[in-house]
Amino acid sequence: MRRRRRRRRFVLWTTVTGIVVLVGAIGAVSTMIVSAIAAPSDEVAAATPDPTPTPTRELIVFPDDEPAATAGAEPCAVVRVLASFENAHMVENLAAAYNSQPRNVAGSCVTVEASKDKSGGAADAVASGFASLADDQKPTVWLPDSSTWVDIALAKGATVLHAEGTSVAYSHIVLAMPQPLAEAVGWDEDAPTWTEVFQAAGDPDLWSGLGHPEWGTFKLGKTSPLVATSGEAAMFVSFGTAAGSLDGFTAAQVADAAIKGAVHENELATSHYMATPEHFLWHARQAEASGTAADFLSAVIVDEKSVWDYNRGITSRDGVTVVQDDPPAEQLTAIYPSDGYYTANNPAIRLTGPWIDPVEAEAAADFIRFTLTKQGQAAVRTSGYRDLNRALDADVARVGRLDVDRDGVLGFPEGDVVTAVQTAFPDVRKRANVLFLLDVSGSMDELISDSDTKLTQARKAIEAALGHFTTGDDVGLAAFAQAPDGSMVPGLLAAPSDIGSSRDAFLAALGGIRSMGDTPLYQAVDTFAAQQAASWSPERINAVVLLSDGENDAPNAPTIGADQVLANLRDLHHSTPVLLFTLAYGADADVKTLQSISGATGAHYYDATDPSKLQSVLGDLVTSF
């Protein structure tokens, strides 16, 4: 498939000679080398040839690693590598493989340490020069799962990138479907175009027309393009199909009103957005446990590695804590659309800054050298990724149901297009109908700092989260406690309405909230979920965002029980689905109940049991809209 050349390419050593020369250069310790590596660069790397293998291109022969005979002296130089949530497992394996052999860089031993952040969050941190971190915690290498985040960081003013980067692995971004659904629509044998995907997702009668009314409507899941690479790729294909070219659309086309209108129509098929692929796939597994994954999703745009993880029974509720279970009965099938797909290209980028001394800089370069060796690329493959020849481990391909020889990789858009798509997302995304539901029982008066109670902190966090919403989003506010006479108070404070014109009224209602009484949690959930369902619209993400710091406690009047609440939520989910996102606020929150409430609606549970983290957690939550 024809692919447009990018203005800037990622450096990829493609010959044995090139790599061996680099190995030798790094091995020779000299003042000249140390100074050159440590020096900041004012420009990103120059253009280099397209690294994508073609049928006529000679494959790379990876050299053997050349560890030191004995490790250098302690204390070891520390290379801190910041990864994305998506590729963190691979980066951890690369670090472990590098650390398993003795290293000697400028007379010092070396230890590589890996950390991770959501892709969008990491790009923001890079752009700020890691302003929130102490120098001894700042990374030496950034290894995002896609070069598009380098474009974002540079657009936001990043000055700490030593060079643009070196791809170390690939993972195609595909359409993943539960196998029965892929077979029913025929895409397991005959891959659709992206236009056909969007058309199918917008057809409310697709599954019933194929003899499966029990699957409901076509539910297309996407991650947020502000947070995850798969979400970016989903927006690229949406804009590309609307513009008539997946690999040649421009920033001017992204800004075109007609094209944005077509993209918005595509986005109406989105069930809702989530921060990471792990969020979606965790919920799919929960849905299968209670019936079928089709109750939660029909298809989701994710990377191949996530498909492999899911099919071998690995899921994560939060992207941090990984759970290994039996493989799912409903395996995912990776669909490679026939008009092309993007690939996460995992660039390793040395950083520059006053916190990095010359030895650490040289050690960082040595770690990147290792990733391109036979041993490094073996770690890439066994981590579920394609190596630099696009080769997959045979067992990964089998378990993941991945296509080994698939051809059709699209080049990422230019940097200005990447940033234009992110800028356009608030305009084209599916609109929201959201009710914030706040527990205002007496325990919300608890001090959590010298200046804030739980309630004042919650007000600040909700006000900050409001910045995510834009004209066209309906946003409302309700609060709940139980009065001495058994009534639920104060109730609905600001009915959901267009936040473009109701923001001041919303903030006035938020500022007037006071704590009082007990906690009729079940009654509040049942009442306000039903109210949101009454105003349900297929053209909106219909949701409740619940913040609660305690368990159900309603002694002054009988209330509905937990089992009945969950049954009612499940019934709503099949007719007028309202997503009920729950947020545990403080150490006394009823985590188990909040998890079951969100799970019954296909929404996500968020943990702010450390109340100081509320604003960041709530900020993460609203990326679902």
Side-chain angles (χ1 to χ4, degrees), residues 376-397:
Q377 292 292 291
V380 163
R381 291 190 299 273
T382 57
S383 299
Y385 281 76
R386 294 176 184 264
D387 68 17
L388 294 178
N389 288 322
R390 309 292 171 120
L392 278 169
D393 177 87
D395 193 57
V396 168

Side-chain angles (χ1 to χ4, degrees), residues 312-345:
R312 61 196 180 115
I314 291 180
T315 56
S316 175
R317 177 194 290 274
D318 56 7
V320 177
T321 305
V322 175
V323 176
Q324 172 74 65
D325 207 340
D326 293 331
E330 296 175 327
Q331 295 269 292
L332 291 180
T333 293
I335 309 296
Y336 300 79
S338 59
D339 49 349
Y341 45 86
Y342 298 98
T343 189
N345 56 351

Side-chain angles (χ1 to χ4, degrees), residues 405-445:
D405 299 317
R406 177 64 58 171
D407 182 28
V409 173
L410 299 165
F412 279 126
E414 296 286 350
D416 63 331
V417 179
V418 172
T419 54
V421 167
Q422 285 216 358
T423 301
F425 178 61
D427 296 328
V428 301
R429 65 173 172 80
K430 190 173 183 178
R431 290 294 179 251
N433 172 27
V434 177
L435 179 73
F436 283 92
L437 179 57
L438 179 59
D439 179 346
V440 293
S441 58
S443 57
M444 290 289 282
D445 276 338

